[in-house]
Amino acid sequence: MEQRDGRTVPPTLGVGMVGYAFMGAAHSQGWRTAGHVFDLPLRPVMAAIAGRDARGVRAAADKHGWAAAETDWRALIARDDVQLVDICTPGDSHAEIAIAALEAGKHVLCEKPLANSVAEAEAMVAAAEVAGSRGQLAMVGFNYRRVPALAHARGLIADGRLGTLRHVRVTYLQDWLVDPDFPLTWRLQREHAGSGALGDLGAHIVDLAQYLAGEVLVGVSAQTETFVRERPRLDGPSTGLTASGSSERGPVTVDDAAVFTGRLASGALATFEATRMASGRKNALRLEINGESGSLAFDLERLNELYFHDHREPAATAGFRRIVVTEPDHPYLDAWWPPGHGLGYEHTFVHQARDLVEAIASGTAPRPSFADGLQVQRVLAAVEESAEKNSVYTPIAV
């Protein structure tokens, strides 16, 4: 520990981030805030941010508080003031950047889904295992695990409050692709995104189902659909802008929606729906888990609330009850506001930063690990295989 003006100051952890769009802004919020809320064993320092557009990345650095800007992620990795590389780029670059960062001796945080293919994810896990033997840590960014209500739900299930699990059902509904003239961004191109709603939204709900249940999916049966098969082309790569006055359209090469059933290792049944075509739904992630002794229900649009039913109570008084997850003994909340003062979406990234910093300081494996990300990737691949073959059931290798 460093002494400064009579105060003990923890050692620094230099963070470098690759990517500065939506996820970059969210991760920046996490790194900027975590050390001001939690008493961390290491002090995150926002050393540098990287992006291909010099003007854009400099503006992002100034806006979000990064000390330096780079236009080449390799230069960011090579910096001596960067000990952790945070990857917030499209999926097609995750493997290359993560493996290079691990080989350069850096810790890594990588946004979900871990990669665009099982083979890429396996290579990332292998690199993480080698790096782990040198004390480097790698984590995948499934931020919804850090919603206090969902972390509390995991604790209740782990404590046996639901008994043997029977059903897990999860939906994630958005509507930002309903307009057929929405432009052909990178998220609609398989070579960049890997898949559509399946990887973008489905990865979250697969991870949540497995995290909450404490077990993995062992097989799926699926259908996917692309409702709008052509969209207006962009002016340039990933600009998000349509060509001025142009009517040229290009093919959408990913799914708009995916629905699938699954079976957990214990035999519990699971159902999933992920779509970006549900008009009126902006970010509607909802789940319910039923066990022999009780049930839990959660809605992301009311993310400070968890609904719990104890089936062992007398029928005359039993039923779902609302738990306001803002008490100091609920996960993450001892450092925040008085009870009843809710948190929001951005706080999940603060909690994610806290958990990773504490894992690095203690040398303990962070969760979700790259291996956890690989398991989700295998489920996504099985969903696509099942949908392509129109098969009844596709087993998942473990």
Side-chain angles (χ1 to χ4, degrees):
M1 291 286 185
E2 175 187 346
Q3 294 295 319
R4 184 184 300 175
D5 298 328
R7 296 177 297 112
T8 300
V9 180
T12 61
L13 176 70
V15 180
M17 190 169 72
V18 187
Y20 58 87
F22 168 42
M23 272 299 106
H27 282 229
S28 296
Q29 174 80 356
W31 293 119
R32 191 170 58 244
T33 307
H36 297 291
V37 175
F38 297 100
D39 294 325
L40 298 179
L42 298 172
R43 179 163 49 93
V45 174
M46 297 167 67
I49 185 173
R52 288 175 295 181
D53 180 79
R55 183 178 301 175
V57 72
R58 183 66 259 175
D62 293 341
K63 180 177 182 179
H64 298 302
W66 295 90
E70 301 280 2
T71 55
D72 186 339
W73 59 262
R74 296 170 184 83
L76 180 138
I77 289 174
R79 293 178 65 106
D80 291 335
D81 59 350
V82 170
Q83 290 85 51
L84 183 152
V85 175
D86 185 353
I87 303 168
C88 297
T89 59
D92 60 326
S93 60
H94 284 186
E96 183 181 15
I97 299 172
I99 292 171
L102 290 166
E103 290 177 346
K106 314 293 183 177
H107 305 291
V108 173
L109 170 62
C110 184
E111 252 304 315
K112 64 83 209 168
L114 186 61
N116 276 3
S117 70
V118 170
E120 288 178 343
E122 288 175 339
M124 294 170 75
V125 169
E129 290 174 348
V130 172
S133 67
R134 301 190 298 263
Q136 296 157 236
L137 304 184
M139 188 172 85
V140 60
F142 285 109
N143 65 296
Y144 290 137
R145 289 191 180 202
R146 271 75 189 192
V147 174
L150 289 173
H152 185 45
R154 171 63 194 139
L156 292 172
I157 293 169
D159 288 343
R161 297 296 296 274
L162 303 192
T164 301
L165 300 186
R166 304 302 191 202
H167 295 282
V168 177
R169 60 184 66 83
V170 200
T171 62
Y172 200 165
L173 315 178
Q174 296 180 348
D175 72 352
W176 58 277
L177 288 181
V178 169
D179 181 358
D181 290 325
F182 186 91
L184 189 65
T185 67
W186 69 265
R187 289 187 182 275
L188 303 176
Q189 301 171 49
R190 176 171 290 275
E191 64 269 26
H192 298 302
S195 63
L198 177 61
D200 187 17
L201 308 181
H204 271 305
I205 58 179
V206 167
D207 180 69
L208 277 180
Q210 296 185 140
Y211 164 64
L212 293 173
E215 54 183 299
V216 299
L217 288 159
V218 296
V220 294
S221 179
Q223 294 186 55
T224 61
E225 184 57 69
T226 304
F227 298 108
V228 179
R229 297 185 176 273
E230 291 187 339
R231 291 185 178 274
R233 291 188 181 276
L234 303 173
D235 273 333
S238 302
T239 63
L241 302 174
T242 55
S244 178
S246 171
S247 60
E248 184 181 0
R249 302 175 78 87
V252 175
T253 52
V254 298
D255 59 278
D256 284 330
V259 294
F260 53 103
T261 58
R263 186 180 296 276
L264 292 165
S266 65
L269 300 178
T271 61
F272 302 86
E273 180 180 6
T275 181
R276 301 185 293 203
M277 298 286 278
S279 55
R281 297 299 182 190
K282 303 304 176 184
N283 202 39
L285 191 165
R286 299 170 180 175
L287 64 87
E288 184 171 314
I289 300 178
N290 310 122
E292 62 175 341
S293 302
S295 296
L296 288 167
F298 172 80
D299 182 347
L300 184 63
E301 293 176 346
R302 304 179 69 91
L303 84 170
N304 294 289
E305 301 175 5
L306 182 67
Y307 286 81
F308 173 58
H309 165 66
D310 188 340
H311 201 65
R312 293 167 293 194
E313 292 183 5
T317 57
F320 277 93
R321 66 172 179 264
R322 173 173 167 262
I323 303 171
V324 180
V325 186
T326 58
E327 295 294 324
D329 55 351
H330 286 141
Y332 302 105
L333 291 167
D334 58 333
W336 287 105
W337 319 122
H341 295 72
L343 302 187
Y345 171 77
E346 73 275 14
H347 296 90
T348 64
F349 297 96
V350 180
H351 301 159
Q352 177 174 269
R354 187 207 79 165
D355 287 350
L356 182 52
V357 169
E358 290 187 343
I360 290 171
S362 64
T364 57
R367 301 295 300 268
S369 65
F370 273 20
D372 295 323
L374 170 59
Q375 167 61 24
V376 172
Q377 203 74 47
R378 286 174 170 155
V379 175
L380 301 183
V383 169
E384 288 198 305
E385 180 182 347
S386 175
E388 288 168 3
K389 294 180 177 179
N390 197 25
S391 61
V392 175
Y393 188 75
T394 301
I396 299 166
V398 177

